[in-house]
Amino acid sequence: MADKVVDSFLAEVAQAMRTDLEALVGDHVRHQLAAFPAIATDQPLLTLMRSTIRDTLATELDLVAHGLDPMEVTSPPSVTAWARRVAQRGYPLSSILRAYQGEQSLLMRQFVARIDAASPSRELAISGVLRINELSAGLHQRVFLLQIAETYDAEIEKLAQTRAATRKARVLQLLAGSDADAADAEHALGYRLSGPQLGVVARLAGPDPDPATLAPSISRLASVVGTPAPLITLQDESTAWAWFPEPPAAEALVAAARSADRETGLLLATGTPRTGLAGFRLTHSEALTAFSVLEIAGADAAPNAVTFEDAGVVGILAQNLTVTRAWVTSTLGSLAENTAAGERLRDTLATFLRREQSFVATAAEMTLHRNTVKYRVDQAKHLLPAPLATRRADVELALRTARLLGRAVLVDAEHRSRRPGRGRTGRPKLASEDLS
């Protein structure tokens, strides 16, 4: 059947339906309320929904009645207003789109009933139904549903950015020392400031980090160690501050972060568990101090995650690298050389001291033969500028500083002036091979 005949017939049907617009609107409002019954008691949203339905029905009926091109039709302003409002109220987009598809189906049934009643022939009725289905589907898919989805997503993103900015401002206000509105801040942040908490600073490493993975990576750590969801504020696209309520041991969180590093490239430092608003600030300051060690070490950072207990003092020392580097050199002597052999000797001596100078315990921890441990320890002691017993505490701290800060405090072997070792005429050569 000729398109002009079909379009002319459909125009008459659409014009007749246009005169019954309010009755159609009532049917569609009832259909929407069946999907969203709570809107019935929300008068502003109900009024907007009714206006949106009226506008979309009028647009579709006018399209058919006047033979408009669906590609040139734009959605009414009420459609975007509706999409923004339901996003703000927290209605799922999938539910909104399903309801609109149901509304299209309802309108099609109404069209079919009018076509059947007005058509003089079965052939015209079938052609009319096929044509109206084509026009309606194109309009709904290209204009209404697409506009709703795009507007909804944009509003959700806007809300997320606003909430994140508000949360960050609240956190900065608390860290700056404002506690007059602590109770209000707790409500706004959804986080209990009065309880115990563990401060964390985290950053995505690598040249091209994906900002979208930062907060989820921190949240996954909470799941791994079995704590409630942390309070997270993003400082930039790769750095976040976080507080873990009901904190686990800092060592457990660091262990989880070290395991996750293989997948996420996450650098992380923790404070120590603290209580109350003062603790909220202090554990954060501790985490920042510990994190400075990772920043200074850069690519040399052996662990990707540290605790304040392990790295805090080193972080304080690192605030003046010139003095710290000179102190490490004067304390460790030739043991401060930035070589692979030097690193082996430093690690062995540090483990030996931590294991109460037990060769057996050190060998077990490092999976080495006892003789290898003794050989390394003897070499390390010979490289020290003073007897170990006279400066043990300094040596242990210097070894920890060298481990965490790496080349920032070590001495390149080729640039080191020749300095006699203790009790020798020349510096002992660092072993490139261990005894087996």
Side-chain angles (χ1 to χ4, degrees), residues 48-228:
L48 178 58
M49 184 179 74
R50 185 180 295 275
S51 296
T52 304
I53 290 173
R54 181 184 295 107
D55 291 344
T56 55
L57 288 175
T59 298
E60 186 155 359
L61 292 173
D62 287 344
L63 168 76
V64 179
H66 301 293
L68 304 177
D69 184 352
M71 299 299 292
E72 297 179 356
V73 175
T74 58
S75 62
S78 58
V79 172
T80 55
W82 166 256
R84 285 195 298 270
R85 192 70 57 81
V86 293
Q88 293 165 4
R89 300 297 176 84
Y91 288 95
L93 177 60
S94 58
S95 299
I96 299 298
L97 295 181
R98 278 198 304 270
Y100 254 85
Q101 290 169 335
E103 200 174 322
Q104 181 197 6
S105 297
L106 174 59
L107 182 58
M108 282 301 302
R109 292 195 298 272
Q110 292 169 331
F111 258 121
V112 170
R114 295 293 186 108
I115 289 171
D116 281 342
S119 176
S121 70
R122 185 66 176 167
E123 181 183 5
L124 180 58
I126 292 174
S127 297
V129 169
L130 293 175
R131 177 64 173 152
I132 201 66
N133 184 66
E134 177 187 356
L135 291 171
S136 179
L139 182 65
H140 274 263
Q141 293 295 331
R142 191 191 68 81
V143 180
F144 297 150
L145 294 180
L146 181 60
Q147 185 69 56
I148 289 171
E150 289 179 346
T151 304
Y152 184 100
D153 287 342
E155 186 65 20
I156 289 295
E157 178 66 23
K158 178 182 175 182
L159 290 171
Q161 291 176 353
T162 300
R163 289 168 183 157
T166 301
R167 182 168 59 247
K168 182 177 179 180
R170 286 279 192 174
V171 167
L172 291 175
Q173 184 182 39
L174 290 172
L175 292 176
S178 173
D179 56 5
D181 58 349
D184 182 51
E186 280 190 335
H187 177 73
L189 295 171
Y191 180 84
R192 191 163 65 93
L193 295 167
S194 57
Q197 55 225 308
L198 179 68
V200 166
V201 176
R203 177 175 297 164
L204 293 174
D208 190 25
D210 181 2
T213 66
L214 180 54
S217 295
I218 297 172
S219 296
R220 279 195 295 272
L221 293 178
S223 299
V224 171
V225 298
T227 65

Side-chain angles (χ1 to χ4, degrees), residues 84-424:
R84 285 195 298 270
R85 192 70 57 81
V86 293
Q88 293 165 4
R89 300 297 176 84
Y91 288 95
L93 177 60
S94 58
S95 299
I96 299 298
L97 295 181
R98 278 198 304 270
Y100 254 85
Q101 290 169 335
E103 200 174 322
Q104 181 197 6
S105 297
L106 174 59
L107 182 58
M108 282 301 302
R109 292 195 298 272
Q110 292 169 331
F111 258 121
V112 170
R114 295 293 186 108
I115 289 171
D116 281 342
S119 176
S121 70
R122 185 66 176 167
E123 181 183 5
L124 180 58
I126 292 174
S127 297
V129 169
L130 293 175
R131 177 64 173 152
I132 201 66
N133 184 66
E134 177 187 356
L135 291 171
S136 179
L139 182 65
H140 274 263
Q141 293 295 331
R142 191 191 68 81
V143 180
F144 297 150
L145 294 180
L146 181 60
Q147 185 69 56
I148 289 171
E150 289 179 346
T151 304
Y152 184 100
D153 287 342
E155 186 65 20
I156 289 295
E157 178 66 23
K158 178 182 175 182
L159 290 171
Q161 291 176 353
T162 300
R163 289 168 183 157
T166 301
R167 182 168 59 247
K168 182 177 179 180
R170 286 279 192 174
V171 167
L172 291 175
Q173 184 182 39
L174 290 172
L175 292 176
S178 173
D179 56 5
D181 58 349
D184 182 51
E186 280 190 335
H187 177 73
L189 295 171
Y191 180 84
R192 191 163 65 93
L193 295 167
S194 57
Q197 55 225 308
L198 179 68
V200 166
V201 176
R203 177 175 297 164
L204 293 174
D208 190 25
D210 181 2
T213 66
L214 180 54
S217 295
I218 297 172
S219 296
R220 279 195 295 272
L221 293 178
S223 299
V224 171
V225 298
T227 65
L231 169 65
I232 303 173
T233 64
L234 300 181
Q235 302 308 300
D236 55 45
E237 63 180 11
S238 63
T239 306
W241 298 345
W243 288 260
F244 283 69
E246 302 177 19
E251 293 77 9
L253 190 60
V254 162
R258 289 177 180 173
S259 297
D261 175 54
R262 291 187 293 270
E263 300 176 3
T264 62
L266 190 70
L267 298 177
L268 180 141
T270 76
T272 53
R274 303 287 182 178
T275 301
L277 183 54
F280 178 85
R281 296 176 183 133
L282 181 54
T283 188
H284 173 67
S285 294
E286 291 172 339
L288 286 174
T289 300
F291 192 80
S292 70
V293 172
L294 298 178
E295 289 185 299
I296 293 170
D300 286 344
N304 69 296
V306 295
T307 66
F308 179 77
E309 182 178 356
D310 184 36
V313 174
V314 177
I316 295 170
L317 289 173
Q319 293 177 21
N320 191 328
L321 274 177
T322 300
V323 172
T324 300
R325 186 183 300 109
W327 174 77
V328 168
T329 302
S330 67
T331 303
L332 298 182
S334 297
L335 196 57
E337 287 191 2
N338 185 26
T339 63
E343 182 178 2
R344 283 198 300 272
L345 296 183
R346 288 192 298 272
D347 288 345
T348 304
L349 181 58
T351 306
F352 177 71
L353 294 174
R354 180 164 48 79
R355 286 295 190 172
E356 300 301 330
Q357 303 188 61
S358 167
F359 292 112
V360 174
T362 302
E365 179 174 329
M366 300 187 72
T367 321
L368 294 172
H369 192 283
R370 179 182 180 280
N371 289 345
T372 300
V373 172
K374 186 176 187 306
Y375 175 71
R376 289 186 185 180
V377 169
D378 287 344
Q379 274 216 315
K381 287 181 177 180
H382 277 297
L383 293 174
L384 294 174
L388 175 63
T390 64
R391 298 191 65 188
R392 174 174 171 172
D394 283 351
V395 168
E396 287 190 278
L397 180 55
L399 289 171
R400 188 193 313 178
T401 303
R403 172 175 61 86
L404 292 171
L405 294 181
R407 70 178 62 187
V409 294
L410 295 176
V411 179
D412 290 335
E414 60 270 24
H415 296 151
R416 179 179 174 84
S417 60
R418 295 188 63 83
R419 182 175 175 179
R422 174 171 53 85
R424 289 177 173 268

